[in-house]
Amino acid sequence: MTRKGIIDEAMRVVLLCAGLASLSIVVLIGLFILRESLPAFHEIGVWNLLSGKEWRPGQGQFGLLPMIAGSGLVTLGAICLGLPLALCCGIFLAEIAPTWIRVVVRPSIELLAGIPSVVYGLFGLVVLVPAVRQIDYPGNAGFGLLSASIVLAVMILPTIASVSEVAIRSVPDEYRQGALALGSTRWEMIRRVVLPAARSGILSAVVLGLGRALGETIAMIMVIGNSVMMPTTMGGPLPGIFLSRARTLTGNIAVEMSYATGLHSSALFATGVVLFVLIMIVNSAARALMSRNVRGGRP
Amino acid sequence: MTAGGARRTAWQNCVFALFWLSGITAMAVMLAVVGYVMVKGIPEFSIDFFTTSPRGGLSGEGGIASTIVTTAYLVVMTMAIAAPLGTAAGIYLVEYAGNSRNRVATAFLKLSRFGIETLAGVPSIIFGLFGYALFVTAMHFGFSLLSAALAGACLVLPVVVRTAEEAFKSVPDAYREASLSLGATRWETIWKVVLPSATPGLTTGIILGVGRILSETAVFYVTLGGSCRTPTSIFSSGRTMALHVYYLAMETRAFDKAMATGAVLVILIIFVNLAINAVSKRLSAGGNRS
Amino acid sequence: MGTDAPEARLRTVDYSLFYGSFRALRDITIDIPENSITAIIGPSGCGKSTFLRSFNRMNELIPGVTVTGKVLLDGEDIFHQNVVALRRRVGMVFQRPNPFPKSIFDNVSYGPRIHGIRDRGTLAAIVERSLRDAAIWEEVKDDLQKSALALSGGQQQRLCIARALAVEPEVILMDEPASALDPVATMRIEELMQSLKQKYTIVIVTHNMQQAARVSDYTAFMMTDEERAGNLVEFGATKKIFTTPADRRTEDYISGRFG
Ligand SMILES: Nc1ncnc2c1ncn2[C@@H]1O[C@H](COP(=O)(O)OP(=O)(O)OP(=O)(O)O)[C@@H](O)[C@H]1O
Ligand SMILES: [Mg+2]
């Protein structure tokens, strides 16, 4: 073989190794976490882990239900508060806002999506928690699901707004012109033509936001109170549940990781697995829901 | 028709008013957060703040000098691992596996895509969990820059590989054909033609990775330790600026210092975004002129 | 084929090509003479580009391509040769101008550089000679550092020809080199081919009958058969193909009755 041929072949092998290394990192992370979590699933049992209401590592009690409830509720709260606003903002920017607003707002939203979560957490801690504390409700300390939901809503707003805006903007102009030429108002055009055409992109935006909400760690630790307890209404009306303290799955891992050993450590890995599976379920559910809702549009 | 038209237009105006309102609200909310941090934080800036290190303990006294150094070390170390690896993997996926008729290569491609997509959606604390258990404990690197950089590299690897793949895919095949038809080997083609054309895209990926490391807290919370001293070796513990914000807020209640550190982070992120915009502007302006 | 034809440079023997299971070329046997221009004509989709790309093995870049039969360059089977060395001997100009996003100088010097020429002076000489041969020197000599992408389409195509010439190939393949160009630029490229054939063997694919008649010495007419595989219908001196074709289908095609 010529010298060139040797270099060419050598580089191919080097690059192949890089590819293999990247892939094996992916596989390694998956396998490692699964392996570490196996003792927990084995000794505690999947069902006990998922449905147990007590998490007392000192006494060998490992129930994740409070954290599942915490993660679920805080995400629900964030979605209720943030999603409509975020989607409207995305539609507004893509279709309605005058150019000068877009030019200013689009980069700022992209910027906001990159702001460190610890900054949002800090804001929540300093501004929101004291504000929520003003609500007169038994057991309310400000720290809890409401503060956490608001922080999270603000955090997912830019992500969802900017990704959905891009999706809507990438709908070809011919569609719009076609609809307008048929005598639609611009709103009818947006609702009947543009949004259906952009739906898969909008869906990705929502999925991204959900993932970010479920996966957020630091900002949650800072404002949610971190108590291991099933969120309760304290005997008040149902919305009162949001004034309860809670802990998220992510927070559970972060707070206890550095001193956990043995089964406790394994249970934290199991927490990671549960978190991952939860995100997968939410993703596929969102996808299934969307694809059933709107049929016959563009693939 | 005209009556219906008028009604429909009126309806549209109502709806649009609502959209205006929500657009303005969303902006106001987001600006309030950043604005608050900046307004509270920037007045705390002083020479001392940037040149002294945190005193540690519960006082919250001192500046952020050592955290700036730690952040810089960590960014450099992480990207030194993730950027070459991710770029090389991107090259392999696009330039070799992408147009191979080999079954194994195609399967490899699919598997990698799937793995990277999945990894990109994994919450960062899971990388922390992995990094803690593998690098800190099992490999005995302890809470250190090394552990944190390795975990951080796993975190940004999907970002780098994805953007690298996009960058290579956007290089027109005509360039490759032209180069090969002149008798260049595949590697020469990649090195002399494909890589230069993909540079802006690759740069974007690397800057994205840097931004990610700057703002990440959870992973480093469980791998970096949190010492407020300036690291002396890759086995030193340390704290990044983002981590410092967390410790200040949660352990010292020195909220003013936390705000100031947060403001520094926000300013850094603004620069990261400006850099990305500058690069992608070059990208869309057409070929790079050499 | 007339015995008066010069020696064959390129030759295929029972050559077939498959895209996966689809047979794009069927049993093509042809002798392409040296220092001449051979035009390949035929209706769209009959496999002209595929056939042309066989001579420098560019089809190998497409996953799933397999071939049977032989392709010979100077009597040697090209599939047994080093592909890089082969492509150096058999240059190619593509349908769409495809300069690299580099300067004019870097475009032309790309080939010589990868073939090991480092000396700046030698490179400069090669660049100038190639640009002169491609009849574009006068237009670009003042600023060789200009980006190639800033040239007009016709200039870019001539630059691509210069780039192909710079590695001193023996054969030049051109796939509809003028299809993206205006009549003036087309004419310049045709003149250029005439001057190049002293030194090179040229094979050109074209859709333009007049062009084939004007510039080529030999013409190959291809067509698809019932299974959509490309066949060589007729090959011979251009004058003969255009005045007294042996095959009915050739006559129909040339006179515009189908295709
Ligand atoms: N990459 C490919 N994969 C599969 N089939 C292909 C590929 N390229 C070409 N073909 C098929 O091979 C046949 C010949 O294509 P080719 O491009 O060689 O035709 P052509 O004569 O050059 O046509 P045109 O005059 O339009 O350029 C066509 O049926 C085409 O569909
Ligand atoms: Mg063709």
Side-chain angles (χ1 to χ4, degrees), chain B residues 101 174 179-180 182-183 192 288, chain C residues 60 84 87 101-102 110 115:
Chain B
R101 58 204 91 154
S179 172
L180 291 171
L182 291 168
K192 298 220 164 101
N288 48 345
Chain C
E60 283 175 19
V84 171
R87 287 188 187 141
K102 298 170 184 277
Y110 179 86
H115 293 118

Side-chain angles (χ1 to χ4, degrees), chain C residues 44-50 53 95 175-176 205 207:
Chain C
S44 188
C46 70
K48 304 179 294 294
S49 301
T50 305
R53 290 160 61 95
Q95 177 167 2
D175 192 350
E176 302 185 47
V205 168
H207 266 292

Side-chain angles (χ1 to χ4, degrees), chain B residues 14-203:
Chain B
C14 291
V15 177
F16 277 18
L18 209 67
F19 276 110
W20 271 92
L21 193 66
S22 51
I24 292 167
T25 315
M27 274 319 288
V29 167
M30 293 187 287
L31 282 183
V33 177
V34 174
Y36 185 87
V37 173
M38 299 297 262
V39 168
K40 291 277 174 181
I42 290 179
E44 295 290 316
F45 286 4
S46 66
I47 306 275
D48 268 2
F49 180 68
F50 289 101
T51 53
T52 60
S53 293
R55 206 72 54 73
L58 297 179
S59 64
E61 280 166 41
I64 56 169
S66 68
T67 69
I68 297 178
V69 175
T70 308
T71 309
Y73 280 162
L74 197 59
V75 165
V76 170
M77 284 175 68
T78 308
M79 293 322 287
I81 303 167
L85 190 62
T87 308
I91 296 182
Y92 189 80
L93 291 179
V94 175
E95 303 291 325
Y96 292 88
N99 47 22
S100 166
R101 58 204 91 154
N102 185 330
R103 287 251 173 74
V104 181
T106 320
F108 174 65
L109 184 70
K110 285 215 183 99
L111 199 62
S112 304
R113 286 259 158 74
F114 175 75
I116 283 164
E117 288 303 314
T118 313
L119 214 54
V122 167
S124 59
I125 187 64
I126 292 191
F127 290 93
L129 187 64
F130 169 74
Y132 172 79
L134 184 63
F135 304 127
V136 178
T137 324
M139 294 173 87
H140 299 292
F141 295 153
F143 290 111
S144 64
L145 274 176
L146 182 60
S147 301
L150 289 169
C154 295
L155 178 75
V156 297
L157 192 67
V159 181
V160 179
V161 175
R162 263 174 156 191
T163 40
E165 257 195 284
E166 288 309 314
F168 290 122
K169 271 195 227 149
S170 72
V171 176
D173 266 343
Y175 293 172
R176 299 186 181 89
E177 288 193 335
S179 172
L180 291 171
S181 79
L182 291 168
T185 62
R186 182 150 247 167
W187 169 246
E188 284 167 335
T189 302
I190 292 170
W191 182 244
K192 298 220 164 101
V193 178
V194 179
L195 262 177
S197 309
T199 312
L202 295 175
T203 318

Side-chain angles (χ1 to χ4, degrees), chain B residues 192, chain C residues 105-106 109-118 120 123:
Chain B
K192 298 220 164 101
Chain C
F105 186 92
D106 288 345
S109 61
Y110 179 86
R113 271 203 186 119
I114 57 172
H115 293 118
I117 298 174
R118 293 267 175 277
R120 193 83 196 164
L123 283 174

